[in-house]
Amino acid sequence: MCFPYRSDVYEPCQFILLVGVALSVVGLVVQTIRGTWKPCKPKGVLTDSASHGDNHTSSPLREGDKPCQQFVERSGGHAILTFKLVQLLSCVALLCLSIASGVLGDHGLDSGSTLQRWARLVQWETYAYTSVLALAVVLVPHRSSVLSGHLSCVLILTWVVYVYRDIVPLATTTINPADADEGVLLWVKMAILTEAAVFIPLFMPRGKGDASVHAGLNKEQAAGWLSQRIFSWLDGIVFQAHRVDHIPLDEFPPLADADSTRTLIKGSLKFLDPLQTKKNTHIIWGFLRTYRSDILLSTLVVTISSVFSLSWPVATQGLLFYLEEGHPQSTVRPWAWVLLLFVGPTLSTVCGEWYQWIMSRLSIHNEAILTELLFQHALRIRVKSETSSDDEGASTAVGDVNESGVAKAAENAKPRSNNFAGRLNNLIASDLKSITDANGVWLILLVQAPVKLVVSIVFMYNVLGLSAFVALGTLVVLIPIPGYISGWIQLFQKKMIGKTDARVQLIHEVLNVVRMIKLFGWEQRMATRIEERREAEIVFQGKFRWLEIINSFTNYSIPLVTMAITFGFYTAVMKQELTASKLFSSNAAFILIQSQMHYMFFAIPVLTQARISLDRVNDFMLDTELLDEFTLPEEDEAPTIEAISIPHEHALLGIKNTSFTWANDDATVETPASTSSGRRPGRRFVLNIDGELLFKRGQMNLIIGPTGSGKTSLLMALLGEMHARPGGPDSFVSIPRDGGVAYAAQESWVLSDTIRNNILFNAPYDEPRYVKVIKQCALERDLSLFDAGDQTEVGEKGITLSGGQKARVTLARTVYSSAEILILDDVLAALDVHTGRWIVDHCFKGELLRGRTIILVSHNVALTRPIADFVVVLGTDGRIASQGSFDKTLQDGVELLNELVLEEEQLKVASEVIDKPKLEAEDAQKNGKLIVAEEIKEGEVGWDTLRLFVMNTSKTPRLYWVAYIFLMIVTHTFFNGQSWYLGVWAAQYETHAPSEVSVSYYLSIYAALVILTMAIYACAWAFYLFGSMRASRIIHRKLVDSILGTTLRWLDKTPTSRVIARCTADMQAVDRTLARYVLAVMESAVFMSLKVIAVAFVAPIFILPAVIVGTAGGVLGKIFTKAQICVKREMSNTHAPVLGHFSSAISGLVSIRAYGAQEQFKAESYLRVDRYSRAALIYHGLTRWVTVRADAMGSLLSAILAINLIYGVRISASSAGFAMTMAVAFSSTILFWVRQVNILQISGMCLERIQQYLDIEQEPKPTIDGVPPAYWPASGDLRVEHLSASYSSEGSRVLHKISFEVKSGERIGIVGRTGSGKSSLTLALLRCILTEGEVYYDGLLTDKINLNVLRSNITIIPQMPELLSGTLRRNLDPFGQHDDATLNDALRSAGLFSLQESEDSGRLTLDSEIAGGGGNLSVGQRQILALARAIVRRSKLLILDEVMYTDYATDAIIQNSLREELGRDVTVLTIAHRLQSIMDADRIMVLDAGRIVEYDTPRKLLDKTDGYFRSLVDGSHDKAALLSQAGFGQASQYLS
């Protein structure tokens, strides 16, 4: 029976409409008065030009368009105008129908009470107002955005009121609709109102419909509100990905301008950048201010989602109560509960995914903002000198970063950036990910979890009364337990991270010197060392995952224990009946509590790690030392240098009365000498400019001085890289930048780009000028050796080029630039004398440098003397010893004069260089690409990839997985048994009195089921844990062995950062993500299958919809997975260039700042980050897309089952509760399973990438037959027969059937022009390239000897020796095989102690710290240490690739050590670049085009009148000395 209409309840609702209309009118008036009511321009998308600040909106109207067409265009297009007109007609129709119903009603206008008459007037007024607004929306299109907002708000408010009046009563058995007397007219009005208030706002596009997408609008911006909320704007890319194998990035929806990095930086740095905020506030407050509107919206949305999540327990209670009591006693019709069962969870999902989308977008914004914030801050930081002992930890992503221009090996107080780079590496690779991961978590922890817990407790109180407070108290008591376990987890996580960092640091170091490791045959030893650190990491991983299991079981059991105590209290203490409606609805609430507790304890560590990462970013922003121009002086600091303003044509270039240090604090700044000594304290270097130092404008200015005098520091002081301390009121530092500044570092900095782009450096291409630069910088011949010429890519760190080539490319960049001032830091150091003379004669004296100001640092005084107009001589105390003309400086210093005389003599000797520096990439590809592009696989990650993990879990993997699946089936059968037994308990109250039901009996059996289930589950977890750890261990071992066992050619073609990523990020994904999701996918499959089987026992008909929905979910998942894998691949490939550009820029900070190219590099960074954001947004959007659809299907399946239970089969309420619990668990797991499969597919991409590196080309592996006798080698005898070699199977030969023999103890000099095959011969002897023919070493054929044994018994000293970071002792004896006495003897024999005789402090000892790559040592020191290492190895065969030294003292020491200190039985092969170093050799080999053209003693070769070697001697400027070395007493003997 229904209750009659009550006007005192329903009529006041209509007055809410009056309030809504009034507020709308007031709002419009206020907006008009304040002038903020402005036309809303459509937002554009980011294009290539947009990256430079141009925003593209809709196209302008054409003058020839008709007025009607122009009106349509202004209205947004035909589609939007149609929606607006339909809405207008609907509002007018509602007004007419309302008036008609009032006038033509049974009692007319005067019928009813006063309240009812006023209610009708309010209704007419509301519809009249909406009609006016709708008309204004159509007629005033440029203001339609604001007007449409007001119209939609009023209409939706009206719709809500009438739903409450006339729809809600239909769901009850006690109340009639308030306007039922209107009859059919009521439902016509409701239909029209629903169309105008709901459907039109939901479906009306915001842009110009589909046409706008082609015109340049972002698809999301053009989509309607509903399309945005359910992400149907992504349908196009989803189904396109299903049809094709791969979608390139260019076909992704374009990036909206609001998501572009430039826009984000513009709106956020004012809150985040300390230089703009002028405060030391924590960065987190800046983010909160930046995202305040998004955070408020997210809070509202997640709250709504949390409230709607309670719809499942509420609907379950209502349905089961209906089944218990029967229809006559139920006040709510069952279809209403079924509708709630579908609509409630669906709305909760839509709101939840809306929240997730907002936070995902903010995460991408965070990533872009933080990347640029750190990058821009790095551009302001002073780079200092640190050694490896100061590093904070290993880095995994960006690679080694050091500014070569200020890392000059021979200079004191040179800035190094190892620690600086390490911090940036960790921030970008690790901390940035931690911050973005936490972005979507913190509001859930602070808002969603509390709201869900509160509403669940309130619901339980309504169901179970005071027992709900018992549940709350139990939760409060038990919650600290997982908190305590989480503390242990965090402790072990820190220890595990420490072990991981140790492994990563070792891998990073090994890969940076992998060429040295292979040449020395250390692969197995290094692999063993890596394996030891890996094993330590695996042990802690096991402990960590065991704690995770315990924590998961604790979180799982707490709600079950709470539920058992609550039900026990309700039945045993309160003496109440635990009916099915109460039990299963409260059980659903407990599940809700359980899920939130799981999430809370998952979120806390994530947020903790994010807070730590934010603190690290904040500390980096606030604590790093900035350049002086970005630092405001404190009150107690010395005054800053006075900024002088002089017209450009008269601007001074110089310094006056100023001292410079590498830090603006009082701490000691270490010099290379000090950092190289682990025990001796270093000195604080200070550069003092007393008086005035003014460089000559338009002339060549030369800076010279001994090692450690501060020549590089003077350049850095000019460029503003050092901290300036004024010496008086007239102090200044001036470098006019109006005409531009160009800078060339000694250790060249090149971009990973083509040679041409490195030279142009974004300057316009001027072909005549470019050709002159190439010629004057001696690059013509080098480019001719490359098949792709100047389009050849230089590769990562310039791997394609030799040291001399990189130096000349760097010099060419400065010469080509239009800069008026050129600062050159010893650019001649890496060049041979011939090339150096060419540079001096053709470049420094050439027309391109004529009239430009050049400041040149050089050690080669004799070579640069003729071009010097002004000379500055620095002393060892960091002060100017002399300045002026060259003659004046010679008069001022006897030491300089002596040095000049000595250098001129040695220059004659050094001029006898036979060839130019070698070209390392001898067979560069035709397209110029040495660095191979990273392979992008297409399609899904299949079984061939996953089997790498699956088949390594056990020695008998098939049996292993059968056993594991069996354990999972048993576990989840018991899980289902728990719910079934709860139904059995509840069923007792349907057939027995409450006093006859034994609570203790049923409660104890239930507890036993829970304990048994957990025990079996623990066994399954442990079983899987051991298998997954075994697989991770084996995969890592195979990966390391594969990389260390590959060829040098493959290592040259593959960037180190890419290899490091396989060993770090990809292996971490295998250890954590992949292992977890293999488990999750398999367990979910078992879980879902058993749930369907359980429901089928109660309602067999459920199998059909379950199969349909399950199949649809599988198809949906397949489509989604293919699309997201495609997007993920593009996302990964666009992320690498971001890191690569970051690394390249950081390694050249000083060069970038010198050129003033900061904005250029920022723009490039914006472009690369935008490409990554474009893919990342689609990636996260696809997750939202599938979630909404899968959850809707699950809710639909639950509703179908409920309909069947109510209107179909008639079963007990307890059986129905069990079936619904199983069905909801199945339907909610559809999405979970789809997403887990997707994540597994994406995680499997790490296996895919690892598998690629397991299939790379390999060198021969060691065998038992390849082990030589223990005595081998007893001598240095070497015999080569018909040796041919090539760098690749498809490449041409570089050696052609050469044959020669070397007796033990002989010294052989190898000479030849560039490309003659000298270096190829050494690589062939070590079997580093493909060879044919036979090589016998001490009588054994090297092809039959294991490579590690062969290379361990041959020592090669390359031109640029590689050193490990750590102590000097570790570099000489990495594996601890020798005592200190042996190592010191080796250092003494190599000449290190002789070199250090004149040094009072900062000497190198065995405990001295060596920076990575030997960055804190000079090139000569590195060569000496390499020679000492060779002496320690006691090899019978030594190969020396000679380098052109500029440090002549070091050169002399090394040459003397080679002649005097090596054993008489040691065979030495010297690749010679100077004749004087090999004239006393036993024999000389002359190579040309990979063939031996001459091979004999020097004397016999000189006897050949038409010989190649004789022609070299005849053309020498120091012919007499060379002849003397060869044994000719006088020239007449030679001539005879």
Side-chain angles (χ1 to χ4, degrees), residues 52-100:
H52 299 286
D54 299 329
N55 296 335
H56 291 265
T57 58
S58 56
S59 59
L61 298 175
R62 296 180 294 273
E63 294 183 0
D65 288 344
K66 297 180 180 178
C68 182
Q69 292 177 329
Q70 293 181 0
F71 177 75
V72 171
E73 286 293 322
R74 285 195 299 267
S75 299
H78 290 89
I80 293 179
L81 181 60
T82 301
F83 274 100
K84 291 178 180 179
L85 290 174
V86 171
Q87 195 172 38
L88 171 61
L89 293 175
S90 300
C91 292
V92 173
L94 287 171
L95 176 61
C96 295
L97 290 174
S98 299
I99 295 174

Side-chain angles (χ1 to χ4, degrees), residues 476-499:
V476 171
V477 171
L478 297 179
I479 275 179
I481 297 176
Y484 177 76
I485 298 175
S486 296
W488 278 96
I489 289 177
Q490 292 183 35
L491 178 63
F492 273 88
Q493 187 177 29
K494 290 180 180 179
K495 292 182 179 180
M496 184 183 71
I497 290 174
K499 298 296 182 182

